[in-house]
Amino acid sequence: MIKFGPSGSCERFAAEGYSHTIQEAKWLADLGLDCFEYSFGRGVRITEKTARGIGEEFKRYNVEFSVHAPYFINLATLEEEKAANNHEYIFSSLRALRWFGGKRCVFHPGSPLKAARDDAMKLLLERLELVMRLKHEYGFDDLWLCAETMGKKSQLGDLEEVISMCKDYDTLLPCIDFGHLNARDCGIIKGYDDYKRIVDRLADGLGDFKTKNMHVHFSKIQYTAKGELRHLTFEDEKYGPDYEPLLRLIADYKLEPYIACESSGTQTMDALAMKNYYKSL
Ligand SMILES: [Zn+2]
């Protein structure tokens, strides 16, 4: 089933006097939304008891929970000590995801920093192989890792790179951030045909199952020549991309992605706008 929801708590949630993630479950269900993405941002700091309590509440209201692993994961790092830390960030995220009762953990693949891009990508794929082997050994085969397309040209994670990361592993899904893809190439998504080209390439590279069940991040994003600058709201009319043609394509192709809206501050209402438009089709 296709799902729509926000990434993180929005400004309106706070304005209505709420402050705890556990309160999101009923709040989102009452609005008619389906999912919520919780970001670990700077580190995984949650106790098992708290996470299980939140998970139970989300289960009660039938709102799916996903997590975003800490942002500083870099599977292409040249420093072995940092490479070991990546495992800690990824597996502590998966452990918490299990407590929350969720299925999907998004991560940012990495950046070459001073290395040549091809070398960095090769190193990243080797590290990913180890991560996926450990994921199996640690008993996380029932959870998805989702490799995200990134918004800056300097970062690893254009569409082709994410396809090559995901293609060899059953439990590694693409997280297609259409705002990032648009921003990193300075506004390439103008309409339906541009979305179609991306989704067709994804299906060609990863097959129908991973395309149908892909993870999606969506927001309008301001960019410069180097790519992503900052997340915007659906009020923006300059940078895009527009969500309507994407949702028409999703309906035409009968895709069932998990869509987390990442608008800046208005993510819940913008997720609802997406869901309402989709329902109108
Ligand atoms: Zn992300």
Side-chain angles (χ1 to χ4, degrees):
M1 197 186 89
I2 187 168
K3 296 192 175 183
F4 296 89
S7 163
S9 294
C10 69
E11 287 166 0
R12 180 161 158 182
F13 182 74
E16 290 186 12
Y18 300 109
S19 55
H20 295 289
T21 302
I22 196 165
Q23 297 170 311
E24 288 276 5
K26 181 177 188 304
W27 195 65
L28 294 174
D30 287 348
L31 285 168
L33 288 166
D34 318 295
C35 58
F36 178 78
E37 190 151 290
Y38 181 93
S39 183
F40 286 118
R42 311 186 122 269
V44 182
R45 293 188 203 91
I46 192 149
T47 64
E48 178 169 357
K49 186 163 178 278
T50 303
R52 286 194 187 279
I54 291 170
E56 275 167 32
E57 189 76 352
F58 275 75
K59 194 172 172 200
R60 180 172 307 136
Y61 288 99
N62 197 26
V63 177
E64 186 172 339
F65 203 93
S66 59
V67 301
H68 194 308
Y71 299 137
F72 32 65
I73 287 171
N74 183 0
L75 292 172
T77 182
L78 294 170
E79 297 168 54
E80 285 307 320
E81 191 183 325
K82 285 191 181 159
N85 289 341
N86 286 329
H87 295 168
E88 173 54 24
Y89 301 138
I90 289 172
F91 292 109
S92 57
S93 297
L94 286 173
R95 208 173 303 126
L97 177 63
R98 160 125 344 118
W99 297 336
F100 285 126
K103 286 269 173 247
R104 294 163 177 248
C105 173
V106 180
F107 69 100
H108 294 172
S111 293
L113 302 177
K114 291 191 173 76
R117 193 173 187 98
D118 287 355
D119 294 342
M121 190 61 196
K122 194 163 161 273
L123 182 59
L124 185 147
L125 290 175
E126 285 169 17
R127 295 251 177 74
L128 194 56
E129 190 181 352
L130 176 59
V131 166
M132 296 309 288
R133 185 155 19 106
L134 291 173
K135 179 175 177 294
H136 171 70
E137 282 174 18
Y138 295 165
F140 289 119
D141 282 342
D142 57 327
L143 304 180
W144 299 97
L145 276 174
C146 305
E148 181 172 345
T149 57
M150 300 304 298
K152 293 197 177 80
K153 279 197 175 81
S154 60
Q155 293 166 308
L156 296 170
D158 65 17
L159 182 63
E160 291 305 321
E161 286 163 345
V162 165
I163 287 172
S164 64
M165 290 171 209
C166 295
K167 68 179 171 22
D168 293 329
Y169 309 102
D170 288 345
T171 64
L172 189 50
L173 278 180
C175 170
I176 305 300
D177 187 318
F178 289 97
H180 279 167
L181 290 180
N182 187 58
R184 74 179 289 138
D185 284 325
C186 303
I188 51 159
I189 301 178
K190 305 273 186 240
Y192 187 94
D193 289 345
D194 301 310
Y195 284 117
K196 184 172 183 301
R197 196 163 46 244
I198 292 166
V199 173
D200 285 346
R201 174 64 196 121
L202 194 64
D204 191 44
L206 294 178
D208 291 340
F209 180 84
K210 288 188 181 180
T211 304
K212 183 177 179 183
N213 295 286
M214 68 176 147
H215 202 85
V216 169
H217 279 172
F218 197 93
S219 64
K220 298 190 177 197
I221 294 176
Q222 185 180 353
Y223 51 82
T224 66
K226 290 178 179 170
E228 173 179 14
L229 190 63
R230 67 186 181 97
H231 285 229
L232 304 168
T233 71
F234 283 179
E235 297 267 282
D236 161 74
E237 290 179 354
K238 182 171 178 197
Y239 292 95
D242 291 329
Y243 63 86
E244 295 91 339
L246 172 63
L247 293 173
R248 288 201 296 275
L249 180 75
I250 285 172
D252 288 348
Y253 277 20
K254 299 187 169 58
L255 304 180
E256 300 185 2
Y258 179 115
I259 302 176
C261 180
E262 295 193 318
S263 291
S264 176
T266 58
Q267 59 270 46
T268 309
M269 293 308 133
D270 288 356
L272 197 56
M274 291 182 85
K275 180 165 183 178
N276 287 338
Y277 180 78
Y278 177 79
K279 285 199 302 190
S280 77
L281 295 173

